[in-house]
Amino acid sequence: MNAKILVAGASGHLGEKIIRGLIDEGADVRAVIRPNTALEKIGALKQYDIGVIQTDMHNINELTLACKDVDCVVSALQGLEDVIVDVQSVLLQAAVNAGVPRFIPSDYASDFTKQAAGENRNFDLRRKFHEQLEKAPIAATSILNGAFAEILIRNNPLLDLNNNSVSYWEDENKRIDFTTMDDVASFTAAAAMDATTPRFLRIAGFQASPKELAAIGGELKEQEFKLIRQGSLEDLLALIQRERAAHPEGENELYPAWQQLQYMKSMFSTELFPLNNRRYTDIQFTGAKTFISALLQTTSAQ
C-alpha cells in the first residue's frame, strides 16, 4: 500500500510543492487547510488527486481525526509564535494521539542548532517548538537546507544582476548554503516516504561564496562583477540591533527588514555539515550556475 502522508500548510508555496513531490513519489496525500483559506488556493489544491480537509487548526479533535491512519505528518506551516509554536504544537499532539509514527516539522532553514539563542527571531521560534518535539513519543526529522535560492530572484544585494555587483559581510570567501524551493520540496517528499530517516537531514543545492557568485555572474554576463564589503559580522549585528529597536512593529511581522538582516547573519555565520544530498540519488540538485543562468533569462525576458 502507498504511504499516507498528511501535509499541513498545504496552501502555501512550499506546501504545494511538497504535495507535488509526494504525488511523484506515489504517496496517498491528505492536505489540511484552514476554513478561511482563499478560494483560489483551495482550487489549486483540488486540481491534484488528494484529500483536502478544511479544519480548525486549533481543534485537537478535528486534527486527530485528520491524522488517522497517516504514516507521516509534514508541516509546512509559516508564521510567528502563534503558528510555529502554538498551532504546530496542536498538530504534533494530534499526530501523537492518532498514532502517527513520524513527524517532519516546519524548519527548512539554516542549521539553527549551531546558532546561539537570540541571533534569529524566527529560528528561536523553531527552537522553542523543538523543546516539545524532543519530548513527544514520535520520530521526528528536521530538514535543514540553508537559504532558499529564490531570495536571489528579488535582486538581493548579495547578487545584484542589474548593477553587476555582489555585496557581502565579513569574508568574500565564506561559502553560503543555497537550495531551491523545488529541491527542498522534492527532498522533503522523499524523506516523508522514508521510514528510516535520522533526526536531522542537511542539504545544500549549492554552496557558493560571494567571490564565486561574482565569478559566475561575470562569466554568464561577460561583464565584470564588483565585490562590495558591507562590513564585519559585528557591524551587521549592530545594524540589526539598531533596526530592531527603531522598528518595534516588526515584532508582529514575519519578515521585517531586521529579520531579513538576521537571516543574512545566519548565512554568513554557519555552514551545513555533513550534507545528506546523496541520500536520495534520483534528486538532481540545481547548481549555482544553472540557477543564476535561469535568473538572467527571466530578467531579460521581462
Side-chain angles (χ1 to χ4, degrees):
M1 296 179 64
N2 294 337
K4 295 183 176 66
I5 311 296
L6 181 142
V7 179
S11 61
H13 198 43
L14 178 61
E16 186 177 350
K17 287 178 180 292
I18 291 173
I19 285 173
R20 291 205 299 265
L22 286 167
I23 292 172
D24 290 342
E25 292 282 343
D28 179 356
V29 183
R30 298 178 191 174
V32 289
I33 57 176
R34 296 178 177 86
N36 60 350
T37 299
L39 290 177
E40 60 268 22
K41 291 187 176 182
I42 296 174
L45 289 174
K46 287 188 174 179
Q47 69 178 307
Y48 306 112
D49 185 20
I50 64 173
V52 179
I53 305 169
Q54 290 184 265
T55 184
D56 179 357
M57 297 298 288
H58 293 90
N59 190 313
I60 185 68
N61 294 325
E62 290 184 12
L63 278 178
T64 298
L65 184 61
C67 289
K68 184 179 179 182
D69 299 323
V70 164
D71 296 295
C72 181
V73 168
V74 177
S75 174
L77 295 169
Q78 281 296 311
L80 296 176
E81 185 164 1
D82 61 324
V83 176
I84 295 300
V85 179
D86 299 342
V87 171
Q88 200 168 209
S89 294
V90 178
L91 179 66
L92 173 64
Q93 188 58 54
V96 171
N97 291 351
V100 177
R102 301 175 57 244
F103 190 96
I104 296 177
S106 184
D107 290 335
Y108 317 112
S110 298
D111 194 345
F112 52 83
T113 67
K114 298 178 181 177
Q115 300 177 41
E119 288 195 359
N120 187 303
R121 187 270 312 268
N122 288 359
F123 291 174
D124 285 344
L125 296 178
R126 283 155 174 79
R127 188 181 288 107
K128 185 174 182 179
F129 174 71
H130 278 212
E131 293 175 4
Q132 299 183 48
L133 184 60
E134 299 296 348
K135 299 175 185 176
I138 191 170
T141 295
S142 291
I143 310 294
L144 301 177
N145 52 258
F148 285 123
E150 285 77 5
I151 66 169
L152 300 175
I153 292 176
R154 301 180 180 88
N155 215 33
N156 189 301
L158 186 59
L159 178 64
D160 189 336
L161 294 174
N162 289 333
N163 296 309
N164 295 350
S165 65
V166 172
S167 296
Y168 67 95
W169 296 88
E170 187 73 31
D171 183 2
E172 66 182 21
N173 293 304
K174 169 65 176 71
R175 304 194 85 197
I176 302 169
D177 302 306
F178 294 97
T179 317
T180 67
M181 198 172 287
D182 282 338
D183 288 345
V184 172
S186 295
F187 192 91
T188 301
M193 300 287 284
D194 177 3
T196 68
T197 51
R199 179 65 186 85
F200 290 95
L201 288 170
R202 298 172 174 86
I203 56 173
F206 57 92
Q207 294 174 308
S209 69
K211 191 173 184 178
E212 290 169 329
L213 289 175
I216 294 171
E219 177 186 350
L220 291 173
K221 290 192 70 174
E222 297 182 345
Q223 298 174 18
E224 183 178 358
F225 270 59
K226 182 192 303 182
L227 280 166
I228 304 173
R229 188 177 190 271
Q230 299 289 342
S232 67
L233 289 179
E234 288 75 15
D235 295 331
L236 177 54
L237 178 60
L239 175 60
I240 292 168
Q241 292 171 339
R242 291 195 302 272
E243 287 294 309
R244 190 170 189 177
H247 300 283
E249 71 280 0
E251 301 295 342
N252 298 315
E253 300 171 7
L254 185 55
Y255 299 118
W258 55 260
Q259 173 65 72
Q260 296 177 49
L261 291 171
Q262 286 189 333
Y263 280 127
M264 191 67 65
K265 187 174 185 299
S266 299
M267 292 161 65
F268 280 97
S269 302
T270 61
E271 184 172 331
L272 292 171
F273 182 84
L275 292 179
N276 303 105
N277 286 26
R278 297 182 181 179
R279 185 176 181 90
Y280 308 113
T281 55
D282 57 331
I283 297 177
Q284 301 298 315
F285 288 91
T286 304
K289 190 171 182 179
T290 299
F291 184 78
I292 294 172
S293 177
L295 284 186
L296 285 169
Q297 292 176 19
T298 301
T299 302
S300 62
Q302 293 176 345

